[in-house]
Each structure stands twice: as structure tokens, then as C-alpha cells.
Amino acid sequence: MPSLDFDLEESHFRAFYAQQSAALEAACAALTGMVAAVVTRAGGVDIAKVEGRVKEVDECIRKFVRKYRPSLEESNTAYEIQGYITDLVGVRVVCLYEDELEKIAQIVRSHFAVIDVTDKVTAVESTEASFGYKGLHLDLKLSTAERGLPEHAAYAHLPFELQVRTIIQDSWSVLDHRIKYKKSIPGQLKRRINVLSALFELADREFRQIRDATAAELLQAPDETEEPLADAAPDDSNPQAPSKAPAPSSELNAFTFLKIATHFFKDFEFEPSKVDGFVDDIQVWSPGMTRARFNALMRETVGVVKRYKQHFEEQNPQASFNPYTVIRHCLYLSNKAAFRPALRNSARESFEAWLQEHAEPRPQ
């Protein structure tokens, strides 16, 4: 029976918590798995992690005392503590970018019943005097259809809290909870905490803008002054034929490399991290390599290397000769001294033997 005796109700809640502990952990694991499946299956967002937790009993009681006890006792309203703790089970989805928060919220809204939504982004931005982590909090429960399934019977009516944050917001939340005094403190110290919070917010914004700028770079149209791309040498039967001199161009970088490489290898997916390291290697081997020069050397050598690739794969059916391997051979063939490190000794010796056997002259 509800009462106004806090000590009695606290004792009842602790007993309830101890009795339900194993069931809450099982419910937490199940609900976390359901949320993870929903957001992963939907696609379109970059999920860093999905994790769950059962709120500690002392934390539950502190929350009740802070948020509900004063008004309940003031209005002489009897209570049971567990009825006010809607986040006994919590699930957290951590994404990469701030503009993905609402996308994730929309995904979960379509799969779960929404009890309440707290937009901490708006709450924090609505005042200059406060600081804290941003993110979305949604109080949820299973949809009507899911509640009717036998496998969900143990937690069919259990509400749970879903927190949706970016990596930056999640990091700030961890640090924010380590700052013991944040309100009744000297103005200078409060200002320093606000500056720190602003730096995290700026990092979130910059992270998103870097993503957008990267996408824009990859979509940017080729330079009209640059030599046109081609799949092979202008005259594959005569690699010595002079090619058109390339116009001045920008330094080769990951974005310009991808535009050229994906032209020569249309069906291959170049992994960004590998591209980044590979282009860095090229610039070490040949400092100042430009986009135009890389395009030209690929045009001049790729025909020869493709013929060698066919020979190599016939002789070594189990070996891999992927586009990176083709490009390494093209680099080496274009300038054997500068790009000697592009090939290992065994690969270089095999290539040289084939070149000598087929009397392939070096491109000029």
C-alpha cells in the first residue's frame, strides 16, 4: 500500500529491487538487443555503440528524493517509489554525428511506443547560463504488437529510457559527471566549465562539417583543365607513344586519388583508411606527386600491367592481384628508381622477369 512514510517506502523499494534484480538484467539485455537490431537494420546512420544498464538502487532513490518526494509530501500524496522510476532499464545509442540524433529517434518511434521525450539539445541551448551534455532521452515501452508476443511476457509492460547521443556528447557526459561542483561556485570557475562545454559542442559541429566537406570533395567535378581520364594508354600497342603533357594540377590527395582510381577500377570499393595510407606512401616515394601526373602515369602503364596481371593470375590462381597491386606495378613501371619501395623484392623480380621476356619497353 502506498504511504507517506519515506523510510518505509525506501525499504519496500530496496526489497522490490533485490527481488527483481535478475529479471531486470534479463530485460535490459533483451531490450538492448531489440534496439540495436532496429537501428542497425534501418541503416542510414553511423552507430558507434549500443549499450544497456540497470539503474543502481541508490541512484534510483536519489532521483526520487530530488524530483518527486518534495511535491508528493507537500500535496500529502501517498506514493510507492518504483512507480516513479521509469528508467530502471536504460539503453544508450551512440552515433557519430549530431544530425543523426533525430534520425535515430524517428527509427525507434516507429518500432516502440513513446511515453515521453526529453530534448536535452534544446534544453541546454535555451539558456546561456547552463551547461551539461546534450542528447535525446525517450521514455519507451514495447509496441502493442510486441507486448503480445510470449517471448516478451516478462517485460512486456516495463518502461525503459533510451538515450541517444553522439560520441562527443557521450564523452562530455562522462566528464561532466566527474565535476563535483557546478552550480554554487565562483563565476570564474563556472565560466571555465562553460568554455569546456562549448569546446565539446564545437568539436561535434566540426566533426559533422568535416564529414560534409569530405562528401563534397568526393562529389566535386573534375578540373576541366586536367588531362581527361582513360582506361588504358592512348596506344596500348606502343607504350612509347608520346602522351599529351598534363596541365598544372593540384597535389595528389585521397580525394583526387579516389576520382582517378575509381575510374580505372569501377567495380572495386576503396576503403578510406587504406586510401589515406596508400596516398601518403605515394607522396613519400615521390614528393609533390600531382593529380595530373598520377592520372598520366596510370594511362601510360596500366595496359602493360593488366597484361602482366593476366599472366600472373594464370600462373598463380590462388594469389591476389587487386587494384592496389595494379597501381603499385604502374607506379614502379613509370619510375623504377622512385617507386622501387612500391613492390616487394619477390614481386619486383617476377615483374622484371616478365618484362624482359616480353621485351616491354619502359614508357617514356
Side-chain angles (χ1 to χ4, degrees):
M1 290 287 294
S3 74
L4 285 169
D5 186 337
F6 175 74
D7 291 336
L8 177 62
E9 293 305 323
E10 178 183 358
S11 176
H12 287 169
F13 179 74
R14 288 185 181 277
F16 160 82
Y17 188 96
Q19 183 182 24
Q20 296 296 319
S21 179
L24 288 170
E25 291 291 349
C28 179
L31 291 168
T32 301
M34 291 178 67
V35 170
V38 164
V39 296
T40 302
R41 187 168 58 245
V45 291
D46 293 307
I47 304 298
K49 62 180 178 180
V50 181
E51 57 189 6
R53 63 96 183 100
V54 175
K55 201 178 192 75
E56 294 181 357
V57 63
D58 289 338
E59 190 177 352
C60 292
I61 292 170
R62 285 195 296 270
K63 177 179 180 178
F64 175 80
V65 169
R66 183 180 69 254
K67 292 188 67 174
Y68 304 109
R69 183 184 177 186
S71 60
L72 288 169
E73 293 184 351
E74 179 69 22
S75 63
N76 205 37
T77 303
Y79 56 81
E80 289 181 316
I81 293 175
Q82 58 262 38
Y84 293 87
I85 309 300
T86 59
D87 60 343
L88 266 173
V89 170
V91 180
R92 180 177 301 146
V93 176
V94 180
C95 58
L96 297 188
Y97 307 105
E98 195 171 15
D99 58 0
E100 293 177 333
L101 297 176
E102 185 55 37
K103 293 179 183 178
I104 295 171
Q106 291 294 340
I107 292 169
V108 298
R109 283 189 182 106
S110 66
H111 289 81
F112 297 92
V114 179
I115 302 170
D116 192 21
V117 178
T118 303
D119 184 354
K120 287 186 173 287
V121 173
T122 302
V124 171
E125 289 182 347
S126 64
T127 173
E128 297 177 356
S130 69
F131 44 81
Y133 68 87
K134 296 181 179 181
L136 286 174
H137 288 193
L138 297 90
D139 291 331
L140 306 172
K141 62 181 179 181
L142 295 183
S143 66
T144 302
E146 294 286 350
R147 290 198 297 273
L149 297 178
E151 59 267 33
H152 301 323
Y155 47 88
H157 298 282
L158 179 69
F160 68 99
E161 180 187 70
L162 175 67
Q163 298 176 351
V164 188
R165 302 175 182 168
T166 67
I167 288 179
I168 302 296
Q169 291 166 356
D170 195 47
S171 299
W172 171 248
S173 174
V174 173
L175 292 173
D176 182 53
H177 281 83
R178 297 296 186 271
I179 301 174
K180 297 181 179 180
Y181 303 98
K182 295 179 286 188
K183 296 181 179 179
S184 300
I185 59 176
Q188 184 179 11
L189 185 56
K190 184 179 291 188
R191 180 177 179 276
R192 290 174 65 182
I193 298 174
N194 273 321
V195 168
L196 181 60
S197 175
L199 288 173
F200 273 77
E201 183 176 341
L202 179 62
D204 231 342
R205 185 184 310 154
E206 285 297 309
F207 197 24
R208 173 171 49 83
Q209 290 179 350
I210 287 171
R211 176 205 62 185
D212 294 342
T214 298
E217 283 283 351
L218 292 173
L219 291 173
Q220 186 176 352
D223 186 346
E224 293 181 358
T225 66
E226 185 178 324
E227 189 176 9
L229 297 170
D231 285 321
D235 182 359
D236 193 41
S237 63
N238 182 14
Q240 285 186 300
S243 61
K244 178 183 174 182
S249 183
S250 60
E251 184 178 66
L252 184 73
N253 58 42
F255 305 124
T256 53
F257 171 89
L258 273 172
K259 291 172 186 175
I260 296 170
T262 52
H263 177 83
F264 285 101
F265 308 99
K266 294 180 175 63
D267 298 325
F268 185 78
E269 185 173 348
F270 287 88
E271 186 179 333
S273 61
K274 290 184 179 179
V275 168
D276 203 33
F278 189 58
V279 174
D280 190 54
D281 285 342
I282 293 174
Q283 291 294 1
V284 170
W285 299 329
S286 181
M289 171 69 75
T290 64
R291 169 181 177 166
R293 177 56 194 147
F294 178 68
N295 178 37
L297 74 83
M298 286 297 298
R299 295 176 66 246
E300 292 165 358
T301 61
V302 73
V304 173
V305 174
K306 282 183 176 179
R307 291 201 300 276
Y308 172 65
K309 176 180 183 291
Q310 181 179 358
H311 163 80
F312 181 87
E313 290 177 337
E314 289 172 355
Q315 300 299 314
N316 306 274
Q318 304 303 318
S320 172
F321 208 107
N322 63 34
Y324 284 108
T325 307
V326 172
I327 295 171
R328 285 176 177 274
H329 282 76
C330 289
L331 292 168
Y332 174 75
L333 188 57
S334 72
N335 188 329
K336 295 183 179 181
F339 293 108
R340 183 181 176 86
L343 297 179
R344 294 179 179 178
N345 289 343
S346 57
R348 189 168 55 249
E349 290 166 3
S350 175
F351 190 33
E352 283 289 355
W354 183 86
L355 289 172
Q356 291 177 14
E357 180 182 348
H358 292 78
E360 295 286 355
R362 287 178 57 185
Q364 301 295 316

